Amino acid sequence: MDEALIRSLTPGVLTVLVRRGADFAAAEDAVQDALVEAVRGWPHDPPRDPKGWLVTVAWRRFLDATRADTARRRREDRVEEEPAPGPASGVDDTLQLYFLCAHPSLTPSSAVALTLRAVGGLSTRQIARAYLVPEATMAQRISRAKRTVSGVRFDRPGDVATVLRVLYLVFNEGYSGDVDLAAEAIRLTRQLAASVDHPEVAGLLALMLLHHARRAARTAPDGSLVPLAEQDRGRWDTASIAQGVRILQAALARDRLGEFQAQAAIAALHADAPTAGETDWVQIVEWYDELARLTDNPVVRLNRAVAVSEADGPRAGLAELATLDDTLPRHTAVAAYLHERDGDLDTAARLYAEAAHKAPDLAERDHLVRQAARLNSRHRHGR
């Protein structure tokens, strides 16, 4: 079985059924039934038109399910509407599924799960493994999401910003399980970029490519985190960096700046520096100023404080940090780093240990514990 082909066809087949009037939840169930039939039959008897085959089988499965719940006359009307088998339309309606899956009534986690299922073509088991949760838990989450969007029609323009936020969340989920969600998010965003002409879609794709290009250098052989300044830049994916920069430059040339383009510009400046010491921190601070203007996000201002410390010295960074709420995620870790750069190793060690207790995941916690231990060791040896 060609899993990539199946995943690429799934959203189009689902959209066809919904366009014909099937309820989203029922249509999704019918498509899953058709995929099961494909897994069983295609290896021995592959169809000439895979999408057409899936549409035909899924529509029949939907009709079979409908017959159990509808009156005879309505059932006959639907049967009469069944198109004759033949080549499927080449029109790609996948974009509509993005907007449905990013429905404002869904929680972010449900929107991400539904996007991976309906648009990404992943199975419930694959999504559950990627999130490191039981399959039954993920099945319930997806079922609730499907019920929420039940009956929603494709008669209103979608919100691109919401779709991009969902894809950004998918990307940030990381690389757990048997599905690389970062790579999956890039695949989905490429698909979206081919369907809609929007500079922020391009900006998000560029941002993903630039961050993903550093993946191989982010962890040491023992699994520990490697900070950006210490990464082996020879392990960065230069082809992905070049592609991300080209996409970003084309988006910026349209003069419709958005937050993902600004984030991508910061990532591009990091990627462009041959060494950490040659990073253009002054320009990065300017891009953080733009990003703060666009989003008014306190986390952006926290990252800006780090950039200011690199451009103008740790005292300047600490002054910026003092203006921010100390309950912000990673505020304590940033404070530890800036105090270390300023030479106050005792305070830095204490803050690293404190930040470790607040770390959102095991890898970051272990990294912060090692930083605290390193400074405490230096203190004990009088260095």
Side-chain angles (χ1 to χ4, degrees):
M1 287 293 294
D2 186 342
E3 183 178 344
L5 173 64
I6 288 287
R7 286 166 56 189
S8 68
L9 294 176
T10 298
V13 175
L14 178 56
T15 307
V16 170
L17 267 64
V18 174
R19 275 191 174 279
R20 290 182 183 175
D23 174 84
F24 179 86
E28 212 272 341
D29 289 339
V31 171
Q32 293 301 316
D33 287 343
L35 293 176
V36 170
E37 290 297 315
V39 169
R40 291 173 178 168
W42 284 13
H44 312 292
D45 184 22
R48 286 180 294 179
D49 178 14
K51 182 179 179 181
W53 188 97
L54 286 171
V55 168
T56 299
V57 173
W59 183 249
R60 287 174 178 168
R61 293 294 179 274
F62 167 70
L63 293 177
D64 289 342
T66 301
R67 289 189 181 99
D69 302 315
T70 59
R72 184 174 185 276
R73 183 170 182 174
R74 179 57 182 155
R75 180 175 70 241
E76 292 175 349
D77 289 342
R78 284 189 178 275
V79 171
E80 289 298 321
E81 293 169 4
E82 179 181 354
S89 169
V91 176
D92 184 3
D93 294 323
T94 304
L95 180 59
Q96 294 173 323
L97 289 183
Y98 282 101
F99 296 119
L100 182 62
C101 295
H103 196 273
S105 61
L106 292 175
T107 64
S109 62
S110 294
V112 168
L114 197 60
T115 299
L116 289 171
R117 175 70 177 259
V119 188
L122 302 185
S123 69
T124 303
R125 177 175 297 178
Q126 288 175 312
I127 301 171
R129 287 179 177 174
Y131 276 85
L132 301 179
V133 300
E135 185 176 351
T137 300
M138 184 54 67
Q140 291 175 353
R141 185 181 300 176
I142 293 173
S143 294
R144 286 195 298 269
K146 286 162 61 177
R147 286 196 299 271
T148 299
V149 300
S150 177
V152 175
R153 307 297 298 173
F154 292 136
D155 55 2
R156 291 178 299 174
D159 181 2
V160 173
T162 303
V163 175
L164 294 181
R165 185 63 53 195
V166 169
L167 290 172
Y168 188 58
L169 288 172
V170 174
F171 182 79
N172 284 338
E173 284 300 325
Y175 321 103
S176 302
D178 63 350
V179 176
D180 183 339
L181 287 184
E184 185 65 15
I186 291 172
R187 185 184 76 85
L188 295 176
T189 307
R190 284 190 191 278
Q191 196 176 79
L192 182 62
S195 303
V196 59
D197 182 21
H198 194 293
E200 272 293 82
V201 177
L204 179 58
L205 179 57
L207 174 63
M208 289 178 175
L209 289 170
L210 289 164
H211 277 309
H212 203 54
R214 303 199 300 260
R215 175 182 177 178
R218 282 200 186 101
T219 55
D222 62 0
S224 60
L225 292 178
V226 180
L228 176 61
E230 300 172 19
Q231 289 177 13
D232 178 359
R233 299 185 178 221
R235 301 183 66 196
W236 289 1
D237 183 348
T238 55
S240 290
I241 291 173
Q243 184 180 33
V245 169
R246 285 197 303 270
I247 293 171
L248 172 63
Q249 288 174 337
L252 291 175
R254 300 179 64 176
D255 199 24
R256 290 169 55 193
L257 184 64
E259 62 173 300
F260 291 120
Q261 294 170 72
Q263 286 190 55
I266 293 168
L269 286 167
H270 283 298
D272 187 56
T275 65
E278 297 174 83
T279 303
D280 189 345
W281 286 106
V282 172
Q283 194 171 351
I284 287 176
V285 170
E286 292 173 356
W287 275 111
Y288 271 121
D289 288 339
E290 290 286 350
L291 191 54
R293 179 182 61 80
L294 289 165
T295 66
D296 194 29
N297 186 329
V299 175
V300 169
R301 298 188 182 280
L302 183 66
N303 292 331
R304 181 183 179 278
V306 176
V308 167
S309 76
E310 301 290 347
D312 300 326
R315 294 289 174 88
L318 286 167
E320 291 289 332
L321 191 65
T323 67
L324 302 176
D325 184 349
D326 62 8
T327 64
L328 281 173
R330 298 188 172 88
H331 183 284
T332 308
V334 169
Y337 173 72
L338 297 186
H339 278 289
E340 180 182 357
R341 290 197 67 232
D342 194 39
D344 187 353
L345 303 189
D346 289 340
T347 299
R350 176 178 56 79
L351 289 172
Y352 275 130
E354 183 182 331
H357 289 291
K358 304 175 182 178
D361 56 62
L362 184 61
E364 185 169 338
R365 188 198 71 184
D366 289 347
H367 171 72
L368 292 168
V369 167
R370 282 192 294 272
Q371 298 306 306
R374 173 179 56 82
L375 293 186
N376 285 327
S377 176
R378 288 175 59 181
H379 179 72
R380 285 195 300 270
H381 291 87
R383 291 179 297 189

